[in-house]
Amino acid sequence: MSQEPLPKLDLRLTQENLDDLYEHAPCGYCSCLPDGTLVKLNQTLLDWLGYTREELVANWCLQQLLTTGARMHYEMHCAPLLLLHGQVREMSYLLRRKDGSTLPVLLNATLLRDADKPLVVRVTLFDITERRKYEQELLRAKTQAEDQSVQLARANEQLVSQNEQLTRINADLDSFVYTASHDLKQPLHNMVGLFRELKRTATFHDPEAEQLVGMFDGALQQILDTIAGLTEVVQLQRMLEQVPVEAVPMLSFTEEIVRSLRERLPEDGATFDLDFSAVPTLRLTRPGLHSILFNLLSNALKYAAPGRPPHVQVRTAPADHNHVLLSVQDNGLGIDLERHGRDLFQLFRRFHPEVPGSGMGLYLVNRLVHQAGGRVEVASTVGEGTTFQILLPR
Amino acid sequence: MDVLKRNNVSVSGTGSQALVFVHGFGCDQRMWRLVAPAFEDRYRVVLLDLVGAGQSDLTAYDPARYSTLDGHADDVLAVLAALDLHHVAVVGHSVSAMIAVLAALREPTRIDRLVLVGPSPRYINDAGYTGGFEQADIEELLEAMDQNYLGWSGAITPVIMGHPERPELAAELNASFCRTDPAIARHFARVTFLSDNRADVAALAKRRLPVLIVQCAHDAIAPVAVGEYLHRQLPASELVVLDTTGHCPHLSVPQATIDAIDQFLAAARTAEV
């Protein structure tokens, strides 16, 4: 292996003048008595400060070259540290020049002792003008970040308290609805009984009376249905708060609902197409999922197009990384979304007055899906059918 | 709560009277290293770290509690109570001179005499009073502190403040000499340099408690004028000006400091006999 020849050194470089190295080093040097009195400074430092050697040596002390704030810090932190520990490192201070301007420096100092007695302090100072600018920038950013984090915490607190308030109001509302529907039930049942008694005992002579009696019966039934629906919403809500979320096997769960629906609506020859192979289970509460499926499937049967046996497809599919999709598609009447889209999930809204219903179903579905952290999307064509797509967290 | 642990209290020496040393701003009880041992043969010597300094329990630093010097004065009294000490002499340096004054006012039977080393009842100049500093100087000091803690403050402080269950973080900070949590240091600096204890000094004057003022001849933090002001305000005080530069005579001229304290305590004892 051949060795590279060393570059030829100019002899003058190997014998560098130590005095010149001290005087014109790329950093400031000074030596002080233990009390800080300056005894020696290099030319670099004098040039930085704008003082002559005569002005400073034996007349000034190191601390007087610092700004007042830096001097206070030096007296309370560096001076004791030097006496106790013999050195200080990387203190960031501002030097005060003769013309009043300041120079940011990093100060290192060592205390030399003579037979245990403090003798002299050697100090090196590095110009950190540029670095200081970055540091100021960092400090500003840090202060800003701290302020923002305080503001965020405050905003968060507010949100939490508002959330608590809303939750309380919601609970109060539920409780109000429950009480109101409960209190209405008794007089209503009385009305039903009284009316039945009236029909039995009274004789109406008006030819339109029979029709009016029928309309009154219908109206009574509607109020009873509505109140039953309200009670169901509140009871379901209370139940949901007590049962756990679990992975519900979709196929058996849905088949059970289909079976119960066929018992209630046996006549229509409906067909169901269930496919949960892509996502076999959904994480929900059982009563919540039951209510969602029951309402969507019974709607599909109730709002079937005349002369066309209902055909309902129920599927699950992965949606994205965090969500799964549950879709229910029918071939029924369809809904005019242009007209009713905005009201679709409102309580007591009905879009097919010719078919009996309480206007609760979709309201309940939407509410349950929202509570589970999901959302409901609808696509529909009048005369062809409706598809509900429910996006649920995995 | 174990106050002896909280304030990292160490007790040494033997004697019927206790001598309690309380360090000032910027360091901890190690500041007394050259002075305290000289009293161990005649006194019970008690050293402590103020909460927020040295090896004290940093997690005990509640900014509200320590928003005035009274919180620290309460701590000193709690230490005295825990050690069942009465009629003690308290030696307080710098800000702790005023902490000692506050403690003496609060529990007269605990504290018999005071040694105030480099004391100042108010650092900022006021009408008819020279403290040595303007408000702007104090802001500059806080800025100098910020600059010097830049490198390690942000990462560590929020962690410690938010995790009292992780004492190893505080220990890490304490390992560095005379350094502490920068947020605490900044808060303590603000409390120290913006405090005005002239009324407390006036209250102490009525008590005629023996007080020694140890003043450095050339002190940029507590100038001679401030020492003289205190001497005038406290009729039962004695003023000793030591020929030294700086704010820490117990480090720069430890023997002279020892002698001054010794003579004061001896004279007080003789007066009692």
Side-chain angles (χ1 to χ4, degrees), chain A residues 147-190:
Chain A
D147 288 351
Q148 276 167 359
S149 120
V150 169
Q151 278 169 8
L152 269 179
R154 206 171 296 144
N156 209 22
E157 254 169 49
Q158 250 166 14
L159 276 179
V160 166
S161 102
Q162 279 169 356
N163 203 19
E164 276 167 9
Q165 206 180 346
L166 283 175
T167 308
R168 214 164 33 240
I169 291 173
N170 252 340
D172 287 351
L173 271 178
D174 277 356
S175 164
F176 170 76
V177 169
Y178 186 77
T179 313
S181 55
H182 184 266
D183 289 355
L184 284 173
K185 247 184 228 167
Q186 191 53 44
L188 256 178
H189 283 299
N190 288 345

Side-chain angles (χ1 to χ4, degrees), chain B residues 4 26 36 40 50 57 72 77 81 87 116 159 162 170 181 193 240 253 260 271:
Chain B
L4 300 185
E40 285 173 350
L50 295 176
D57 179 3
H72 294 291
L77 290 170
H87 308 292
L116 312 181
V159 180
D181 177 276
F193 289 101
V240 173
V253 283

Side-chain angles (χ1 to χ4, degrees), chain A residues 175-216:
Chain A
S175 164
F176 170 76
V177 169
Y178 186 77
T179 313
S181 55
H182 184 266
D183 289 355
L184 284 173
K185 247 184 228 167
Q186 191 53 44
L188 256 178
H189 283 299
N190 288 345
M191 280 170 73
V192 171
L194 287 171
F195 190 60
R196 197 184 300 127
E197 199 53 28
L198 186 70
K199 278 193 294 184
R200 204 176 57 81
T201 54
T203 317
F204 301 103
H205 301 292
D206 197 314
E208 285 178 12
E210 198 171 335
Q211 197 188 350
L212 287 172
V213 166
M215 282 166 74
F216 195 91

Side-chain angles (χ1 to χ4, degrees), chain A residues 312-337:
Chain A
V312 188
Q313 291 184 331
V314 189
R315 301 181 186 290
T316 52
D320 58 42
H321 195 64
N322 300 317
H323 295 86
V324 289
L325 200 64
L326 168 66
S327 65
V328 177
Q329 184 176 6
D330 66 44
N331 61 342
L333 291 168
I335 308 161
D336 184 350
L337 292 177

Side-chain angles (χ1 to χ4, degrees), chain A residues 35-36 61 63 67-73 75-77 79-81 83-85 90-94 96 106 118 132 135-136 138-139 142 146, chain B residues 25-27 30-31 33-34 94 133 137-138 140-141 143-150 153-154 177-179 193 220-221 245-248 251-252:
Chain A
D35 69 2
C61 60
Q63 299 91 303
T67 57
T68 310
R71 175 171 194 177
M72 293 177 81
H73 192 267
E75 297 284 5
M76 289 180 302
H77 188 73
L81 215 55
L83 289 167
L84 279 169
H85 220 217
E90 295 184 52
M91 303 312 300
S92 177
Y93 287 142
L94 289 176
R96 178 81 66 194
L106 217 51
R132 176 75 160 222
E135 288 177 352
Q136 298 280 34
L138 280 175
L139 209 55
K142 175 173 165 278
E146 281 167 1
Chain B
F25 179 85
C27 202
R30 286 173 281 197
M31 269 188 148
R33 204 170 67 188
L34 308 180
S94 196
F133 297 96
D137 298 329
I138 306 306
E140 223 179 62
L141 166 70
E143 197 192 319
M145 291 177 64
D146 282 348
Q147 281 299 329
N148 279 300
Y149 291 126
L150 187 78
S153 63
F177 204 73
C178 285
R179 297 197 102 177
F193 289 101
I221 304 294
T245 303
H247 188 50
C248 305
L251 292 173
S252 61

